[in-house]
Amino acid sequence: MSRRPRVKLEQPIAYYHVMNRTAQQEMYLDDVHVPGFKQVMLDIFQEAVSVFYVNILAWVIMDNHYHLCVEVQKPPKDPEDLKLRFERLQEINVNKRRWQPELVNACYKRFTDLSEFMKSVNFRTAIAFNKARETSGHLWGARYNSKVIEEETGLLKVMCYIEHNPVKAGLCKKPSTYPWCSAGRLKLRLARGGAVNFPAFDFLRRVTGKSRARNYLKFVDELADRLHGSPFDPDLDIESCELPIAEAELEEWRQQFASRAPENWSNQAFGSEAFQNQIALLEQTKAQKITKVRQEAVKRRRFDPGDQTQQKS
């Protein structure tokens, strides 16, 4: 059976939820197999972001899997910027290459491709894991899962869903207290007075700078308490977070999180029904094109008189 075609949007900015599990879902990412490996993974994520046109908006590393919410950009082609990214890649590559102007198109195609980003991350984490253990073999199981996210209806939900993973696993009561998720690292950076460049999404545009980050943290923590902590408290004032979510929406969030809708990989979209139908149509069209190409290739082999594999001995 052929692999399911992966839907990737050809537009200036697209958002995805991606997840990858370890082989046999073993707890390879804990501190027993390789002490400090979660930090190694985080460093690899950050290095990949410096090369690819990808921003990680939310992330969590658990003991046997990780989640990322990413923004994939397709900006205008800039040869100088591509050269800089290529040179960053050579700094971490074993086999070094020199920049050539004719590499512009190939680098642009690679650096704006989600699959290439994930391939780089998973390859480098596997190499680091095996090197630390002086062994060989697979770190990751099946190919990574992905969903296209509709910004208006799904982005904030997916980010919160990712942040809530350690809460649901019983590792903490608030995402901001777990050191291996974006909320925990964001809180630590704010506490240290570090620079924070939190993205100005539509639901955060009315506040600026560190206020956006603080409001996001407060919202994520309060929502975790509402959805996974104590029984539903209608008196809890969610408006104090300065994030626009209507009271009537909370039950929908609760149901979607309980059913794990953001990581229901049977479909490749998360958002409104219309958006899901749009992505399903794209997937169907892509599958039909792949099938047609394969059928034509079979016909060419079957009727090519020069194809020795088709001639009887």
Side-chain angles (χ1 to χ4, degrees):
M1 183 177 178
S2 60
R3 294 200 309 182
R4 182 181 185 182
R6 197 183 298 282
V7 175
K8 290 177 285 187
L9 301 183
E10 297 296 328
Q11 58 190 42
I13 295 179
Y15 300 97
Y16 300 87
H17 176 199
V18 297
M19 187 273 287
N20 211 14
R21 291 191 181 277
T22 56
Q24 287 81 49
Q25 299 191 33
E26 293 287 343
M27 301 296 184
Y28 288 143
L29 312 182
D30 60 17
D31 277 336
V32 175
H33 288 82
V34 178
F37 190 67
K38 288 187 176 71
Q39 182 60 53
V40 173
M41 288 185 60
L42 184 56
D43 292 341
I44 290 173
F45 290 161
Q46 292 170 341
E47 288 175 348
V49 165
S50 73
V51 173
F52 291 83
Y53 289 99
V54 174
N55 291 322
I56 299 177
L57 307 179
W59 58 271
V60 66
I61 304 175
M62 305 295 283
D63 285 346
N64 67 351
H65 69 283
Y66 69 86
H67 291 263
L68 303 176
C69 178
V70 299
E71 174 190 76
V72 179
Q73 302 174 351
K74 290 185 181 293
K77 201 176 297 182
D78 182 346
E80 288 301 316
D81 185 55
L82 287 165
K83 178 183 178 182
L84 179 62
R85 291 173 183 271
F86 176 85
E87 290 171 347
R88 288 177 189 154
L89 179 62
Q90 302 318 302
E91 292 175 3
I92 57 180
N93 274 355
V94 175
N95 299 318
K96 311 294 184 183
R97 295 180 61 190
R98 296 185 63 180
W99 171 257
Q100 301 292 337
E102 56 267 25
L103 294 174
V104 165
N105 291 335
C107 285
Y108 183 81
K109 182 178 180 181
R110 181 182 180 188
F111 296 161
T112 58
D113 191 312
L114 174 64
S115 294
E116 290 292 335
F117 173 81
M118 293 299 295
K119 178 182 176 181
S120 175
V121 165
N122 289 335
F123 175 76
R124 293 192 59 224
T125 49
I127 291 295
F129 181 82
N130 285 326
K131 182 178 180 180
R133 300 192 71 200
E134 298 182 347
T135 185
S136 62
H138 294 286
L139 172 61
W140 305 110
R143 64 197 294 235
Y144 73 91
N145 294 299
S146 69
K147 268 183 177 294
V148 189
I149 307 169
E150 185 177 29
E151 180 180 2
E152 295 81 4
T153 63
L155 187 56
L156 180 59
K157 287 180 183 177
V158 169
M159 292 173 68
C160 290
Y161 183 86
I162 289 173
E163 306 278 21
H164 289 182
N165 261 252
V167 178
K168 292 185 293 182
L171 301 177
C172 60
K173 292 185 177 180
K174 294 182 178 181
S176 64
T177 62
Y178 182 68
W180 302 112
C181 73
S182 44
R185 287 305 172 103
L186 183 59
K187 182 178 181 179
L188 182 62
R189 196 155 63 245
L190 286 169
R192 292 176 175 175
V196 174
N197 184 24
F198 199 79
F201 300 116
D202 286 342
F203 51 83
L204 286 169
R205 292 194 189 282
R206 62 182 179 180
V207 289
T208 59
K210 292 184 178 179
S211 295
R212 287 200 300 265
R214 291 191 179 98
N215 285 345
Y216 173 74
L217 283 179
K218 188 173 183 181
F219 177 75
V220 166
D221 281 349
E222 289 188 5
L223 188 67
D225 184 64
R226 295 281 287 270
L227 299 184
H228 312 293
S230 56
F232 181 70
D233 180 5
D235 296 326
L236 185 61
D237 183 14
I238 203 166
E239 288 298 320
S240 63
C241 303
E242 298 185 27
L243 287 174
I245 175 172
E247 189 72 30
E249 291 183 72
L250 281 177
E251 187 57 32
E252 178 188 351
W253 283 56
R254 184 189 303 278
Q255 292 175 2
Q256 289 185 329
F257 279 37
S259 65
R260 302 175 67 181
E263 60 172 312
N264 174 11
W265 309 116
S266 62
N267 65 71
Q268 295 193 59
F270 184 73
S272 65
E273 183 176 353
F275 182 74
Q276 293 185 51
N277 291 337
Q278 174 191 350
I279 299 303
L281 181 59
L282 287 175
E283 181 182 353
Q284 181 182 4
T285 302
K286 188 173 183 179
Q288 290 172 346
K289 288 181 179 178
I290 292 173
T291 300
K292 184 177 180 180
V293 168
R294 287 173 177 166
Q295 289 174 343
E296 291 175 349
V298 170
K299 288 180 181 179
R300 285 195 299 270
R301 289 197 301 270
R302 185 176 299 167
F303 298 108
D304 183 1
D307 188 348
Q308 299 298 319
T309 62
Q310 302 299 322
Q311 298 180 11
K312 294 182 179 180
S313 57

